[in-house]
Amino acid sequence: MEKVALMDFSYEELCAFVVEELGESKFRADQIGQWLYRGAEIEEMKNLSKDLRAKLSDRCIVGGVKIVKTLKSQHDDTQKFLFELRDGELIEGVLMGYHHGHTLCMSTQVGCRMGCAFCASTLDGLVRNLTAGEMLSQIVAVNKELGGGRHVDNIVLMGSGEPFDNYDQVVSMLRRLNEKNSVGIGLRNVSLSTCGLIPGIDRFKKEGLPVTLCLSLHAPNDQIRNKIMPVSCAYNIKDTIAAFARYIDETGRRGIIEYSLISGVNDSVECAAELSRLLRGLRVHVNVIALNPVKERDLNAPTAARVQAFLKELENRHISATRRRLMGEDIEGACGQLRHKTKQEQNA
Ligand code: SF4
């Protein structure tokens, strides 16, 4: 009989499994749930009988990911984690320390098929989707690594993968963040970043989840966006911004525009002016970040003066914008870099 992954069960599903399949009480399901979200192995579940632990070992798998490498930045509070999945695949996450707590940048897929020119996650294409349990396990593993308890306060779905390309599992994970015994993260502490899959944006706004939506825009027009983001060939910038505006209107949440400045590509003052015109009247904030270069790509970060001039132009045109700190630059901070490098070393 194939073993079931307990982390893939919602609270209700776990209760049903424990009562109907294992013949135990709902109280036991609660105990198991508490252990699961502490990242415990079956043999560590000491308040369960030996008999029940044996049944669990026979029928179930606990945990979804384990941390196999941790890199700590010398410059800031950032830590990068390489997670191994049960099938040996690798994903990564970045933990950033802010004054308002710890934010974990999580992956939603192994690899990504979106092909953005500045991103290491897409270098090997999409390998597979993550399950909701594997996503939650990233938070559990980091909490455990930091000493147990609930250390991760906020999550951003901005690691490897396009969340709307794994829609059902991502939404299932979001619904489970704050259920009984889980990781205790409210949806207002969640940001989801999309490269602009319009059907996903329109569907997501109907879910009733108060999540901040971030649009990876990175260009003020179709000509530039087509060069660096293949998704732009399927969904033009005008329609993408319109879908984003519908999400903002319907949810009442302020939207975030992500804009990585790439030297000589999208970083001119004219680009800033065009971006301002595109965003005029929208309740958005622009996060401007200098590119964290990926070795395999021939794209570079602009000078600090150019970044400053870009921001100044947005400010002059009354667009709310800040320069996001480049965190973890010394620890393969760009999305997908650590996984790609480790895979290459494994295959050498
Ligand atoms: S930036 Fe995001 S959507 Fe684009 S390739 Fe990387 S992971 Fe995929």
Side-chain angles (χ1 to χ4, degrees):
M1 192 191 307
E2 202 181 330
K3 291 188 175 187
V4 296
L6 291 181
M7 278 303 284
D8 282 337
F9 287 146
S10 68
Y11 175 71
E12 295 303 331
E13 288 165 344
L14 180 65
C15 289
F17 176 77
V18 170
V19 173
E20 290 160 25
E21 299 281 328
L22 301 182
E24 299 279 342
S25 68
K26 199 168 166 219
F27 172 70
R28 295 291 173 215
D30 262 322
Q31 288 180 315
I32 294 167
Q34 286 158 11
W35 284 116
L36 286 179
Y37 283 97
R38 277 184 234 157
E41 298 296 332
I42 293 172
E43 59 275 17
E44 293 173 301
M45 301 181 180
K46 294 294 184 204
N47 55 1
L48 305 182
S49 67
K50 232 172 139 184
D51 186 41
L52 176 52
R53 277 186 273 149
K55 274 197 263 184
L56 288 176
S57 295
D58 274 356
R59 303 278 308 272
C60 313
I61 297 164
V62 298
V65 304
K66 66 173 188 240
I67 295 174
V68 289
K69 195 182 239 180
T70 304
L71 301 177
K72 294 187 183 181
S73 170
Q74 304 292 311
H75 308 316
D76 54 49
D77 249 358
T78 308
Q79 296 186 51
K80 187 148 204 173
F81 302 105
L82 188 68
F83 301 104
E84 189 178 62
L85 300 162
R86 286 190 299 269
D87 59 3
E89 288 297 343
L90 299 170
I91 52 169
E92 55 185 64
V94 183
L95 186 73
M96 296 158 287
Y98 293 108
H99 61 274
H100 54 274
H102 283 112
T103 297
L104 179 65
C105 177
M106 293 168 46
S107 296
T108 54
Q109 297 179 308
V110 183
C112 182
R113 63 182 173 138
M114 294 297 141
C116 302
F118 44 82
C119 176
S121 292
T122 199
L123 290 170
D124 306 318
L126 174 66
V127 178
R128 72 170 174 87
N129 283 330
L130 296 182
T131 65
E134 287 170 329
M135 287 180 245
L136 289 165
S137 292
Q138 295 171 55
I139 305 170
V140 172
V142 171
N143 279 338
K144 192 175 177 188
E145 179 81 2
L146 297 185
R150 289 174 174 172
H151 295 276
V152 177
D153 305 290
N154 312 287
I155 57 167
V156 292
L157 306 186
M158 217 178 267
S160 295
E162 160 56 50
F164 291 153
D165 194 36
N166 183 16
Y167 189 94
D168 292 339
Q169 291 299 315
V170 166
V171 168
S172 162
M173 179 275 291
L174 292 173
R175 293 196 189 285
R176 289 179 50 200
L177 281 173
N178 218 0
E179 69 178 4
K180 194 167 177 193
N181 303 322
S182 182
V183 290
I185 296 176
L187 288 169
R188 289 180 192 280
N189 296 342
V190 178
S191 300
L192 181 152
S193 178
T194 178
C195 65
L197 298 184
I198 294 177
I201 297 173
D202 281 336
R203 188 174 166 200
F204 192 60
K205 74 174 189 287
K206 296 184 195 134
E207 300 285 352
L209 302 170
V211 165
T212 299
L213 189 64
C214 308
L215 176 63
S216 289
L217 194 64
H218 309 301
N221 59 47
D222 284 323
Q223 289 90 312
I224 297 176
R225 205 159 187 260
N226 285 347
K227 283 189 205 146
I228 54 175
M229 299 184 76
V231 69
S232 167
C233 301
Y235 304 109
N236 69 41
I237 203 163
K238 190 166 149 274
D239 293 347
T240 306
I241 291 292
F244 190 54
R246 287 195 292 277
Y247 183 89
I248 294 168
D249 278 354
E250 203 140 317
T251 60
R253 309 282 298 162
R254 184 168 74 153
I256 303 288
I257 296 285
E258 301 289 343
Y259 198 107
S260 290
L261 290 174
I262 307 170
S263 179
V265 176
N266 63 358
D267 63 336
S268 67
V269 167
E270 292 72 32
C271 283
E274 197 175 357
L275 179 65
S276 307
R277 290 193 291 277
L278 187 69
L279 301 179
R280 192 176 294 146
L282 282 181
R283 216 153 64 83
V284 293
H285 180 81
V286 184
N287 276 335
V288 174
I289 189 162
L291 180 76
N292 204 345
V294 172
K295 179 165 105 282
E296 289 77 3
R297 307 289 200 193
D298 192 21
L299 298 171
N300 299 306
T303 61
R306 239 169 128 79
V307 176
Q308 211 38 52
F310 191 94
L311 272 169
K312 186 85 190 133
E313 185 67 20
L314 293 181
E315 191 189 308
N316 289 345
R317 291 169 178 269
H318 310 292
I319 297 292
S320 163
T322 40
R323 177 181 184 168
R324 236 178 58 200
R325 278 189 292 152
L326 197 53
M327 297 178 89
E329 198 179 6
D330 56 327
I331 50 166
E332 317 282 353
C335 168
Q337 272 185 168
L338 178 59
R339 170 182 175 268
H340 185 69
K341 193 173 160 195
T342 309
K343 279 273 187 202
Q344 281 188 323
E345 285 165 3
Q346 286 173 346
N347 294 335

